[in-house]
């Protein structure tokens, strides 16, 4: 039987959920059994309530399964999924986690008139002004993802938002949204699909022979239910393992 993962907090520092997740990753890699909740709480130096909160989140993500009166089971194959459809994360971090050298590049940023379909998705008046931003990511020098953002510069009531300097628009979407909107983004609604890349999209990928891309259409939703942006991601197939975990209820 494999030896259990180390339970010592590194450097004697304050334990956190990151430490619990690191322990899960080590357990998934080694195949070691998961300790009892009391033993894990003592070893990590956390309270039982705090540990239960972390374990509840891990179980909701399909990483572990707990049953009353039984052991805690670790979903080891889930560790192979580098990027999950059901979670939002910076793509360059996912690439780095896969052992790749990640690089983000800015393609363009310009003010546009949003098309009717986008206005309907975003809940803004027809013909509303918006900001169009294009970015791409490289992994070990090869372009593996292109992201196209559409951000309205009006609110749902028609009130105008300040136009940021397109040349100063950051590559990351969320700092820009924080500058434009007082309410934070709470959810992303994701719709996966696939398509044949256009000539322009193939040029962004620097690959005229690219026959298909994995697509992910994202809508950013505030806590009030307003849709603040539309993002379309185009992914090179096979570049990064994508997936999600479905828990089977018995």
């Amino acid at each position: 039987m494999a030896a259990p993962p180390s339970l010592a907090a590194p450097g004697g520092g304050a334990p956190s959920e990151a430490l619990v997740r690191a322990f899960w990753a080590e357990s998934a890699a080694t195949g070691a059994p998961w300790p009892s909740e009391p033993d894990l709480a003592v070893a990590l130096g956390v309270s039982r309530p705090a540990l239960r909160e972390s374990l509840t989140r891990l179980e909701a993500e399909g990483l572990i399964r707990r049953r009353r009166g039984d052991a805690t089971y670790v979903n080891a194959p889930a560790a192979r999924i580098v990027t999950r459809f059901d979670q939002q994360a910076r793509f360059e971090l996912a690439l780095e986690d896969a052992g790749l050298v990640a690089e983000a590049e800015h393609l363009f940023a310009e003010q546009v008139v949003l098309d009717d379909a986008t206005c309907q998705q975003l809940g803004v008046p027809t013909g509303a002004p918006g900001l169009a931003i294009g970015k791409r990511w490289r992994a070990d020098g090869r372009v593996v993802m292109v992201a196209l953002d559409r951000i309205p510069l009006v609110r749902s009531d028609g009130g105008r938002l300040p136009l940021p300097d397109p040349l100063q628009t950051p590559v990351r979407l969320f700092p820009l949204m924080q500058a434009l909107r007082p309410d934070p983004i709470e959810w992303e609604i994701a719709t996966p699909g696939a398509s044949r890349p256009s000539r322009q999209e193939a040029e962004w990928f620097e690959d005229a022979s690219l026959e298909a891309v994995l697509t992910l259409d994202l809508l950013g939703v505030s806590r009030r239910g307003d849709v603040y942006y539309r993002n379309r991601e185009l992914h090179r197939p096979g570049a990064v393992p994508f997936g999600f975990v479905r828990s089977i209820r018995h």
Side-chain angles (χ1 to χ4, degrees):
M1 178 179 293
S6 170
L7 297 178
S16 64
E17 183 166 333
L19 185 59
V20 177
R21 290 180 180 274
F23 178 80
W24 171 85
E26 189 175 351
S27 181
T30 62
W34 194 270
S36 68
E37 187 176 299
D39 288 345
L40 186 57
V42 171
L44 296 182
V46 298
S47 67
R48 291 280 294 278
L51 178 60
R52 286 196 193 102
E53 289 183 9
S54 295
L55 296 180
T56 296
R57 283 190 281 271
L58 262 64
E59 188 168 27
E61 295 173 19
L63 302 181
I64 61 172
R65 172 58 64 85
R66 296 177 295 169
R67 296 194 183 281
R68 187 179 298 275
D70 198 355
T72 295
Y73 299 95
V74 176
N75 183 0
R80 303 171 192 162
I81 302 175
V82 174
T83 302
R84 291 181 54 158
F85 283 125
D86 53 336
Q87 296 178 358
Q88 197 283 331
R90 289 176 57 186
F91 188 63
E92 56 264 38
L93 296 182
L95 295 176
E96 292 170 359
D97 287 343
L100 302 169
V101 177
E103 181 183 3
E105 298 177 345
H106 209 63
L107 293 174
F108 61 84
E110 58 189 5
Q111 187 175 2
V112 298
V113 175
L114 300 175
D115 60 69
D116 293 348
T118 300
C119 289
Q120 184 175 7
Q121 285 182 313
L122 299 177
V124 297
T126 302
L131 192 63
I133 301 174
K135 300 159 286 185
R136 67 182 176 187
W137 282 258
R138 296 179 183 272
D140 290 348
R142 184 174 68 156
V143 180
V144 295
M145 196 264 273
V146 172
L148 306 172
D149 299 332
R150 293 295 184 271
I151 303 167
L153 292 175
V154 297
R155 298 186 296 270
S156 57
D157 61 6
R160 292 292 296 261
L161 296 173
L163 173 65
D165 183 347
L167 297 179
Q168 300 301 318
T169 301
V171 171
R172 293 178 58 195
L173 175 63
F174 290 101
L176 174 61
M177 297 312 305
Q178 290 173 356
L180 288 175
R181 298 281 193 166
D183 293 335
I185 301 296
E186 295 289 349
W187 305 281
E188 277 191 333
I189 298 175
T191 305
S195 69
R196 181 182 295 275
S198 67
R199 179 178 298 180
Q200 176 63 80
E201 291 166 352
E203 289 179 0
W204 287 330
F205 276 98
E206 300 177 346
D207 187 351
S209 65
L210 189 62
E211 296 184 353
V213 291
L214 174 70
T215 63
L216 193 63
D217 290 301
L218 303 160
L219 297 177
V221 182
S222 75
R223 63 185 57 176
R224 296 183 179 180
D226 294 322
V227 181
Y228 281 176
Y229 63 81
R230 189 198 77 186
N231 172 262
R232 182 173 176 83
E233 295 181 357
L234 310 174
H235 293 266
R236 182 186 295 273
V240 177
F242 282 90
F244 57 87
V245 178
R246 297 196 297 183
S247 296
I248 307 300
R249 298 302 176 186
H250 298 284

